[in-house]
Structure formats: structure tokens, C-alpha cells
Amino acid sequence: MLSERRLQVLRAIVQDYVGTEEPVGSKALTERHNLGVSPATVRNDMAALEDEGFIAQPHTSAGRIPTDKGYRLFVDKLAGVKPMTAPERRAIQNFLEGAVDLDDVVARTVRLLAQLTRQVAVVQYPSLTRSTVRHVELLSLAPARVMLVLITDTGRVEQRMIDCPAPFGETSLADLRARLNSRITGRRFTDVPRLVEDLHEAFDLEDRGTVAAVLSTLLETLVEENEERLMIGGTANLTRFGHDFPLTIRPVLEALEEQVVLLKLLGEAGDSGMTVRIGHENAYEGLNSTSVVSVGYGSGGEAVAKLGVVGPTRMDYPGTMGAVRAVARYVGQILAES
Amino acid sequence: MLSERRLQVLRAIVQDYVGTEEPVGSKALTERHNLGVSPATVRNDMAALEDEGFIAQPHTSAGRIPTDKGYRLFVDKLAGVKPMTAPERRAIQNFLEGAVDLDDVVARTVRLLAQLTRQVAVVQYPSLTRSTVRHVELLSLAPARVMLVLITDTGRVEQRMIDCPAPFGETSLADLRARLNSRITGRRFTDVPRLVEDLHEAFDLEDRGTVAAVLSTLLETLVEENEERLMIGGTANLTRFGHDFPLTIRPVLEALEEQVVLLKLLGEAGDSGMTVRIGHENAYEGLNSTSVVSVGYGSGGEAVAKLGVVGPTRMDYPGTMGAVRAVARYVGQILAES
DNA sequence: CCTGGCACTCAACGCTTCCGAGTGCCAGCC
DNA sequence: GGCTGGCACTCGGAAGCGTTGAGTGCCAGG
């Protein structure tokens, strides 16, 4: 086990390196943090920390930089979450409160997160599978054309066009609309398939084709694959990544474009509480030199989606975690109100 | 006026520079293009072209590179639009046809454009002001809470929550819905304000507050500011920009984040036909070393929105223009079908 | 008006040198 | 036992310096 002082040395290394972006040496350390010991002692501690794999030297005769393992220890044991200040909290709230619809909420959240953390922000739209149905609407747009509009309790709206196999009268449509709503309004999405199973039985033979088409479209809309949307922002912050630019930034931009990758990334994160994935802990290779801080958010106690930021492993973890947590909290509130 | 051969020299310089990314010299030029004259002659031509401001030297004793003015001449006079090949066209069509809704159409278009041009793609959602109303729906979600859903002929759906000043009965709601639809369905957005002006007069005093709220929300939704959305993609292609990376890429990423800037950019482009803005022709400073190729697209003959790509001034103009034009055409078709 | 020849320029490259931050180790001290 | 000052060593990065060669402008001759 590492002694208390060695942990302090590690903490100091992480803090300095995050601040200066340069390998930190023993002398500089003793000057900037009063550890009460001489550089020589610190050197011994550093050698020990290096043996354990918490820090590394880019090359001989350079200072040390934390390894992923070092950051991990720092996050887990040595640093807390830095709470937002009161003015910051007020600013967050103000900024989010102006939103007019769900798109706007998400867009504002992304902006806010990117600005607060000076990193790339990722916000997932409230998931459908964890939501409940607020309303289903069927609109006849042409004799054999119906539009399905699905509204969730989180304010999300999905629409689909349906080509009917046979003309479908207004009365049949109203009938179907009413039956659908009475069955699934207020119910969870996951329950919907079961609830509409036998719905077609109530209809005339000639209408059943259309009813089936509507139902299958409805079920399709609920399928996980179609529903996971997200928004990203703050990519300009990538330019602050490091000197060895193009090599680092390229795969990150690619990852950000691949929504699938990002969704997986957020999905893998623990369901409750904040998750920090550091460097190689990220399964996706392109993100091996980045850290991802994510957390679930939701209107009630339950998380309906996740949000987070992607930044260099060399990031201000306490501050980032504080911002992410605070934003998630306020977004949850906003959603609950709407 | 420049002689025919000098124009050829300029064309050759642009082509070579776009291909190699390196300043091109007189000798290399005569070797790769058979101009039928010696390097010395080409040098004279180059000197003339430089005097006119079409090309420049990064430093003495280096080759020449085209200036913005040079590219402009190239685009206007020396190069056409390279049409897509048949297989490419088929691929475009296939790719776009799988789209399930408007969001998907836009998303696919962005991907496609980015991939075809290997540059950053920007696609504007079909504008509301140029669209017509397909349907308005009012949903009662709570006693004093109404959701307004607006569906356009381009498949776009907007929704807004409305808090009613007083409880609003189902019958009143149905009445309002019917009246609204009969008045504005099929009409252009710009005509809507005039058409609903006196609608509140048909209602009881107690309901007028709510009617007014609904109408004002409806009108708000139509306002230019709220409606211009766009999607971007292919940012990873920015890494191919140049060697002097961070400096160039930073402002571009920033511009891309500023939807306002991008919308202005697309908006400034001519309404019909393809627009190419080269380097400093772009009003926004951050895009001074990029070119923007944009074109309107629409379901019928008329453009409802624009799309385009942002790339380095050193881009393959004919190819890019061909891709942009082709994609716009097919997107228009897809929209017309849905 | 084109061409070959020629002197000139200058960024890029490779080489060497120098510097100093940082290290590991060790003998001595508390 | 653990801390300290001292010391020799390492090695990346900056600075200086010649070499190279692509590219130029100019000129006299065809």
C-alpha cells in the first residue's frame, strides 16, 4: 500500500500536469506544493509510483506524467467532485429555462456543458423505451396515407408516414385513434407491444390491413435502434487537446460522428451515478487518449438518458464532474416541469 | 486580357496544386501537362499571372499557388461541373431511399455529402416560411395544457406546449382544430398570420384567452428565427485540411458550431443555381481559408432550403460541385415523393 | 515571341553543439 | 529507517551552420 505522502505526491503530479500540460519534475513539485520534504525524497516516491504504474516518464530525463491508472486512482481516491458555485448554478438554471421545446433543451444543454467544461459535450435524447406514452395521434393526410405521431412524457415527438394498403375512412381512423390511446396512454413503451397485440380484432376485415400497418409502424418506432438520438457540441474545444494534434483529434472526430459508437459509450456507463472512463478503459480505440465523464439524467428519480463530456485524459476531473453532475440535475428539473 | 495559354497555365496550376498540395513550379508543370512550350515560357506566363493577382509565391524560390482570385477565375471560366458517374448516381439514390422520416433524410444527406466530397457537409432543414401547412393538430394533454403539432408538406414536424390561461374543453378544442385546419391547410406559411387574424371572434369570451395563446404560439413557430435548423457532418475530414492545422481548423470548428453563422452563410448564397464562395469571399472571418459550395434544393421546382459543403480553398471544385448538385437533386426527389 | 543558359535566392534538411531540467544513486545525518 | 544534499549522468530540444536543389528572373540569340 502506498503511504499517505506518496498519494499526496500523485495528487500533486496530476494537478500540476493538468494545469501546465508539461511533465512535472521533483523540484517543481516541492516548490509549488509544500510537501515538507526535499526533492530527493520526492524522487524516491516518484520512483515507487512509477514501479506501481501510476506515473510514467515520456523519456529519460523528463518529468513524470500520470498514467491512466494514475488518473484512475486520483479520481477514485484523491479528488472529490468540485461543486458548482452559486452563481454558476444560477447561470445554468437561467440558461436552460429559456428552452421552448425538447430539441431546444437538448441543444442548450450541449452548449452549456461544452462551455462549462471547455470540452466536447454529448447529450442523449430521452430514451423511448424508458418513457411512457403521453399521446398517440393519427392524421389522415391523403385517402390512403396516415401519419402517426407519438408523444412521450419527456416531450419527445416521433412521426412516421404510413401507406395504407386500402383506403381508410375518417371514422375508422377515429376509432383506431381512440382505442389506441385508451390502451397505451400513460403506459411504458416496453409494455406497448403486449397491449396492442389483439387490437386488430376489433376491426372489419377490410380495415385490418391498415390497422396492422399502423401497429407495425408504431412498434417499429419503439425499437431501440431507431430511437437513440444524440446531439454533440463543443468540438472546437478539441483544438485544445494537445500539441500532437492531427493524430489525436482525427479518431476522436470520427468517433463523434459515429453515433453508434457514442451511444455504446454512454450505454456502457453505469446506470446510476457518475461514470468516468479514462483512456484505455474506453472500449473504442479512437478514444484511447480521451476520458469520458457521463451521468444519467431524468425527469423523476429515474434516468431516461445520459449526458457527458469527452475530453483529454489530462482534464480537470473534479471540475468536469461537478459541471456534468450539476447540468444533469438541472436538465432533469426542466424536463420534469414540462 | 489573358491569352488562352496563360489560362491553360492557370488551370494546370490549380489542378496540380489541388492534387499535390504543394506549390507548383514551371518545370513540373511542363512535364505533367503538355503545354507545348518550355519552362522558361511558362515562367513568363506565371510572372504575368502573378502580376494580375491570380497566383502567388509563398516565398521566393518556391512554386506558385493559386490565390482566391485565381480559384475564382478557375471556377468561373476554366472548369465545369464534373457530373457524377452512373454508379455514383445509383449509389446516391439507393442511400437516400432508405430514409424513414425527415430527420433521417437530412442525416443521410449529410453523411452522403461528406463521404462523396470528403469534406464537411451542411444541410439545412426545409424552411418553414417557404412550405405549406399540411396539417395542424391540437392535443389536450392536461386540463389546461395543449400541445400544438404543425406538419408541413416537406414532412417537417414542429411541436409546442401551450399553457392555457383557462381550462379548455374537448369540444372547444375540436372546434378550434377544425377551424384552424380549414383555414390554413394547404396554405403557405407566410399567409397564415393573415388567415387566422380574426379567428378568435368565433369563440366564447372565456375561451378567447386560450385561443389567443394557441394562435400566438402558432405564429411564433413560423417566425424565421425558430425555424432554421441544420445538420452538419464529416467534421473528421477537417483533419485533411493542411499542415498548419490548429490555426486553420479552430475557427472552422467554431463557425460550424455557430448555427447562426452557417445559416447566414447559406442564406447569402444565391437563391437559384449553385454558389461557390472562395476564401475571403466569405464574410465570416473564420472561414477565410475555406470555400463553401452550396445550392438550394426542394421538392418541386422551388428551393425550400440549401445544402452544401465547406472545405479548404484548395479543393476539387468540379468534383465537389458535381456531388453537391447531384445530391441536391436526389434529395429534392425524395422529398417530393414523401 | 519563344528558348536555352546562367546567376541568384532561400526554405528545407541534416549535422553538430550546447544547455539544462531531470534523474538515479550514494554517503551521511537525524 | 527514512530523509537529505551532493554528484555524475542522460538526453530531448534549441541554436547555429553549411549544403542542397527546386525554383526564379533576366538576357541574348533564334
Side-chain angles (χ1 to χ4, degrees):
Chain A
M1 193 46 212
L2 292 168
S3 77
E4 184 56 34
R5 195 191 58 225
R6 290 194 174 159
L7 292 178
Q8 265 190 44
V9 169
L10 177 57
R11 178 194 284 128
I13 292 174
V14 171
Q15 286 169 350
D16 274 23
Y17 183 61
V18 166
T20 64
E21 307 195 17
E22 265 161 30
V24 2
S26 53
K27 194 170 156 214
L29 253 201
T30 51
E31 278 165 7
R32 307 190 33 173
H33 307 259
N34 38 2
L35 298 167
V37 292
S38 77
T41 310
V42 171
R43 280 206 286 283
N44 287 330
D45 292 344
M46 281 173 144
L49 285 168
E50 187 165 9
D51 280 347
E52 304 277 345
F54 293 113
I55 57 180
Q57 281 181 288
H59 49 260
T60 338
S61 104
R64 306 305 217 289
I65 62 176
T67 60
D68 290 352
K69 191 178 169 192
Y71 285 122
R72 172 90 278 155
L73 184 61
F74 176 79
V75 169
D76 289 347
K77 301 276 160 66
L78 302 178
V81 174
K82 187 171 144 214
M84 298 274 95
T85 65
E88 280 171 326
R89 285 208 301 273
R90 235 173 295 128
I92 294 176
Q93 201 159 16
N94 282 342
F95 190 66
L96 290 179
E97 253 164 13
V100 298
D101 64 3
L102 182 65
D103 266 331
D104 202 19
V105 171
V106 174
R108 280 167 185 254
T109 306
V110 163
R111 265 195 120 82
L112 187 61
L113 251 188
Q115 224 158 57
L116 285 174
T117 62
R118 312 235 310 152
Q119 275 156 177
V120 180
V122 182
V123 179
Q124 189 181 9
Y125 277 69
S127 149
L128 289 187
T129 42
R130 307 202 193 175
S131 311
T132 60
V133 178
R134 183 183 265 172
H135 190 86
V136 180
E137 189 57 37
L138 294 173
L139 308 174
S140 180
L141 298 178
R145 197 126 215 227
V146 170
M147 174 174 260
L148 171 75
V149 180
L150 184 68
I151 304 168
T152 79
D153 60 336
T154 47
R156 187 155 158 190
V157 178
E158 289 286 319
Q159 80 274 2
R160 289 284 184 285
M161 296 297 306
I162 300 158
D163 285 311
C164 311
F168 199 60
E170 264 310 330
T171 46
S172 303
L173 193 72
D175 189 21
L176 179 55
R177 180 194 298 129
R179 283 174 192 274
L180 257 182
N181 273 302
S182 77
R183 288 207 187 189
I184 67 174
T185 300
R187 311 305 291 266
R188 310 191 122 245
F189 273 46
T190 41
D191 298 335
V192 170
R194 191 170 44 75
L195 292 166
V196 299
E197 224 168 22
D198 57 346
L199 197 59
H200 61 102
E201 289 170 13
F203 288 82
D204 292 343
L205 263 182
E206 57 189 85
D207 282 344
R208 286 196 182 175
T210 299
V211 171
V214 169
L215 292 183
S216 79
T217 304
L218 174 62
L219 296 182
E220 235 171 62
T221 311
L222 307 180
V223 170
E224 187 94 23
E225 204 177 346
N226 292 329
E227 39 132 325
E228 305 282 19
R229 286 183 56 201
L230 38 77
M231 193 175 266
I232 65 176
T235 45
N237 291 324
L238 284 176
T239 51
R240 301 186 313 113
F241 242 56
H243 340 278
D244 51 346
F245 231 76
L247 293 164
T248 325
I249 210 178
R250 179 86 201 246
V252 178
L253 274 172
E254 270 166 6
L256 291 175
E257 297 244 319
E258 279 303 325
Q259 308 233 329
V260 188
V261 170
L262 278 182
L263 287 168
K264 229 174 172 177
L265 205 70
L266 291 177
E268 276 170 3
D271 235 14
S272 64
M274 199 157 13
T275 306
V276 180
R277 302 213 139 217
I278 299 167
H280 292 82
E281 294 170 11
N282 290 301
Y284 183 75
E285 200 175 346
L287 298 177
N288 274 181
S289 53
T290 65
S291 287
V292 180
V293 177
S294 60
V295 67
Y297 71 91
S299 45
E302 202 179 5
V304 294
K306 294 181 180 153
L307 57 77
V309 306
V310 179
T313 49
R314 167 189 37 69
M315 69 161 71
D316 168 19
Y317 289 95
T320 304
M321 290 165 81
V324 168
R325 192 176 66 184
V327 170
R329 225 170 249 170
Y330 284 106
V331 176
Q333 275 182 27
I334 298 286
L335 286 182
E337 284 166 17
S338 66
Chain B
M1 190 47 211
L2 291 168
S3 77
E4 183 56 33
R5 196 191 56 226
R6 290 195 174 157
L7 292 178
Q8 266 190 43
V9 169
L10 176 57
R11 178 195 283 129
I13 291 174
V14 171
Q15 286 170 350
D16 275 22
Y17 182 61
V18 166
T20 64
E21 307 194 16
E22 263 162 31
V24 5
S26 55
K27 195 171 157 214
L29 252 201
T30 52
E31 279 166 8
R32 306 190 33 172
H33 307 259
N34 38 3
L35 298 166
V37 292
S38 77
T41 310
V42 171
R43 280 207 286 283
N44 287 330
D45 293 345
M46 282 172 143
L49 286 168
E50 185 163 10
D51 280 347
E52 303 278 345
F54 294 112
I55 55 179
Q57 282 180 289
H59 51 260
T60 338
S61 105
R64 306 304 216 291
I65 61 177
T67 60
D68 290 352
K69 191 178 168 193
Y71 285 123
R72 164 90 343 212
L73 184 61
F74 176 80
V75 168
D76 288 347
K77 300 277 161 64
L78 302 177
V81 175
K82 187 169 142 213
M84 297 275 97
T85 64
E88 279 171 326
R89 285 209 301 274
R90 236 173 295 128
I92 295 175
Q93 199 160 17
N94 281 340
F95 190 67
L96 290 179
E97 254 164 13
V100 298
D101 63 3
L102 183 66
D103 266 332
D104 202 19
V105 171
V106 174
R108 279 166 186 255
T109 306
V110 164
R111 265 194 120 84
L112 188 61
L113 251 188
Q115 224 157 55
L116 284 174
T117 62
R118 312 234 310 152
Q119 274 157 177
V120 180
V122 182
V123 178
Q124 190 181 6
Y125 277 69
S127 149
L128 289 186
T129 41
R130 307 203 191 173
S131 311
T132 60
V133 178
R134 184 184 264 171
H135 190 87
V136 181
E137 188 57 38
L138 295 172
L139 307 174
S140 177
L141 298 178
R145 196 125 215 231
V146 170
M147 173 175 259
L148 170 76
V149 180
L150 183 70
I151 304 170
T152 80
D153 62 335
T154 47
R156 188 155 157 188
V157 178
E158 289 285 321
Q159 78 274 1
R160 289 285 184 286
M161 295 297 307
I162 299 157
D163 285 312
C164 311
F168 199 59
E170 267 306 331
T171 47
S172 304
L173 193 72
D175 189 21
L176 178 56
R177 180 193 299 131
R179 284 175 191 275
L180 256 182
N181 272 302
S182 77
R183 289 207 186 190
I184 68 174
T185 298
R187 310 306 290 267
R188 307 191 124 247
F189 273 46
T190 42
D191 298 334
V192 170
R194 189 171 45 76
L195 292 167
V196 300
E197 223 169 24
D198 58 346
L199 197 58
H200 61 103
E201 290 170 13
F203 288 82
D204 292 344
L205 263 182
E206 58 190 83
D207 282 344
R208 286 196 183 174
T210 300
V211 171
V214 170
L215 292 183
S216 78
T217 304
L218 174 62
L219 296 182
E220 232 172 65
T221 312
L222 306 180
V223 170
E224 187 97 20
E225 203 177 348
N226 292 329
E227 39 133 323
E228 305 282 18
R229 286 183 56 199
L230 39 77
M231 192 175 267
I232 66 176
T235 44
N237 290 325
L238 285 175
T239 51
R240 301 185 314 112
F241 242 56
H243 340 277
D244 50 346
F245 231 77
L247 292 164
T248 325
I249 211 177
R250 178 88 201 244
V252 179
L253 275 172
E254 270 166 6
L256 291 175
E257 297 244 320
E258 280 304 325
Q259 308 234 331
V260 188
V261 170
L262 278 182
L263 286 168
K264 228 174 172 178
L265 205 70
L266 291 177
E268 276 170 2
D271 233 16
S272 65
M274 197 155 16
T275 305
V276 181
R277 303 214 141 218
I278 299 167
H280 292 81
E281 294 170 13
N282 291 301
Y284 183 74
E285 199 175 347
L287 297 177
N288 274 182
S289 53
T290 65
S291 286
V292 180
V293 177
S294 60
V295 67
Y297 70 91
S299 44
E302 202 181 3
V304 293
K306 294 182 181 152
L307 56 77
V309 306
V310 179
T313 49
R314 166 188 39 70
M315 69 161 72
D316 167 19
Y317 289 96
T320 304
M321 290 166 80
V324 168
R325 192 176 65 184
V327 169
R329 225 170 251 170
Y330 284 105
V331 175
Q333 276 182 26
I334 298 287
L335 286 182
E337 284 165 16
S338 66

